[in-house]
Amino acid sequence: MHEQPGLQDTARRVETCGDYLVFRHYFTVDKVRLHGASLCMKHLLCPLCAIRRGSKALKAYLDRWEVIRAANGVLRPFLVTLTVKDGDDLAERFKHLHGAQRELWKRKQRGRGSVLDGVVGAVWSYEVKRGSGSGLWHPHLHMIALAEHQPDATALAIEWKNITGDSHVVDVRPISQENPVTGFLEVFKYAVKFSDQPPEDTVHCWRTLASKRLIGSAGVFRGVVVPEDLMDDPDGLDDLPYATLFYRFLREKGGYQLNAR
Ligand SMILES: [Zn+2]
């Protein structure tokens, strides 16, 4: 591949991501919060930024779910997975999945009968990996769907096949009411599994998907604001005294050095 200066710059930013981490230790309550860091913000290339971003989205949508649940006790969350057939062109397969998801929601809006008719709100995210058998690109999406009754998986598979023309593999399962985090985590984990794929695949995903919105929402989940800032929320600790813990990554040692101030 022809080397581009912009790519070199991005590579340097990702490589040095997290070299500086500043924590505040609120010692009167013994709580630690990440206050500052040198982050690359390339969540499709960098596991550290991906996990920070995912946890911010997880918290924002769990908070909204608590508000919805308090107002409407009959709603339950379901985890819906929609997949498209594997293919060798990631951009084409992603566009296909994205378009099919749009059409599924349009059908619900048109009011002519859709499996999603009972769903009053949803949030979903796109995930990309290579199919385990085919080795071809396998984009799919995981969605939290809120409804009184579980959407029918068989009917959804038929509707999905009707929309996509080539894909019928879907999954619908309830999310634990007592511990919704596990189900929500499925939606807000990485868009790519960094450790499961070679770096060239990660770079290909980034170049193909960097300009795309990988989280979508509808109905009562619309308008949730996920903070851009990847630092910890001080959670009302601001007024308490703290000690600053300054960590610097030492490349030659392969570890962090702490300077307390
Ligand atoms: Zn990063």
Side-chain angles (χ1 to χ4, degrees):
M1 183 176 30
H2 190 66
E3 295 280 351
Q4 296 167 19
L7 287 180
Q8 296 274 0
D9 189 49
T10 301
R12 233 183 332 267
R13 280 178 60 189
V14 174
E15 195 185 15
T16 57
C17 181
D19 272 9
Y20 296 91
L21 302 173
V22 182
F23 294 90
R24 285 184 172 178
H25 179 211
Y26 297 90
F27 48 83
T28 56
V29 289
D30 196 22
K31 286 192 171 155
V32 176
R33 294 288 182 271
L34 181 63
H35 177 71
S38 55
L39 298 182
C40 71
M41 308 298 279
K42 300 283 178 192
H43 65 94
L44 285 173
L45 289 173
C46 170
L48 176 59
C49 289
I51 201 166
R52 294 298 304 177
R53 192 169 179 268
S55 70
K56 289 281 169 181
L58 175 69
K59 178 166 190 314
Y61 281 97
L62 273 175
D63 286 353
R64 173 66 69 93
W65 165 232
E66 288 306 326
V67 172
I68 296 166
R69 176 153 71 168
N72 191 342
V74 296
L75 290 177
R76 292 188 291 150
F78 299 94
L79 182 64
V80 178
T81 301
L82 300 171
T83 75
V84 291
K85 200 164 171 272
D86 301 358
D88 58 4
D89 183 341
L90 175 58
E92 183 276 326
R93 284 290 89 187
F94 181 82
K95 195 174 166 202
H96 185 48
L97 172 64
H98 198 264
Q101 166 76 343
R102 278 178 78 122
E103 173 60 21
L104 184 63
W105 282 88
K106 274 191 192 153
R107 286 189 174 199
K108 174 176 153 59
Q109 284 160 5
R110 285 185 205 120
R112 287 188 218 140
S114 161
V115 183
L116 297 184
D117 280 345
V119 175
V120 300
V123 54
W124 59 90
S125 72
Y126 295 90
E127 186 182 336
V128 169
K129 61 179 184 179
R130 287 191 184 269
S132 47
S134 68
L136 300 172
W137 289 111
H138 177 63
H140 53 285
L141 71 86
H142 298 293
M143 168 163 64
I144 307 283
L146 303 181
E148 277 186 49
H149 306 288
Q150 180 162 336
D152 184 80
T154 309
L156 180 60
I158 293 167
E159 192 169 353
W160 189 242
K161 176 71 191 285
N162 183 265
I163 292 170
T164 60
D166 62 3
S167 311
H168 65 276
V169 178
V170 303
D171 187 70
V172 182
R173 59 188 64 191
I175 289 172
S176 159
Q177 293 267 59
E178 292 72 39
N179 181 23
V181 177
T182 318
F184 275 65
L185 259 181
E186 195 63 35
V187 173
F188 299 111
K189 62 185 185 184
Y190 302 159
V192 295
K193 289 202 179 79
F194 299 98
S195 56
D196 288 1
Q197 65 185 19
E200 54 267 37
D201 275 0
T202 300
V203 170
H204 183 63
C205 290
W206 166 65
R207 298 186 104 175
T208 310
L209 303 173
S211 62
K212 311 271 191 279
R213 275 181 65 85
L214 297 179
I215 293 182
S217 63
V220 294
F221 268 135
R222 276 200 98 99
V224 172
V225 177
V226 179
E228 289 282 316
D229 181 15
L230 297 184
M231 298 309 117
D232 281 337
D233 192 328
D235 293 331
L237 299 174
D238 311 51
D239 295 338
L240 297 176
Y242 58 82
T244 300
L245 306 172
F246 183 86
Y247 286 86
R248 185 161 65 102
F249 188 74
L250 299 178
R251 213 151 294 281
E252 61 276 16
K253 288 192 176 163
Y256 282 94
Q257 185 183 57
L258 167 65
N259 296 306
R261 292 190 293 196

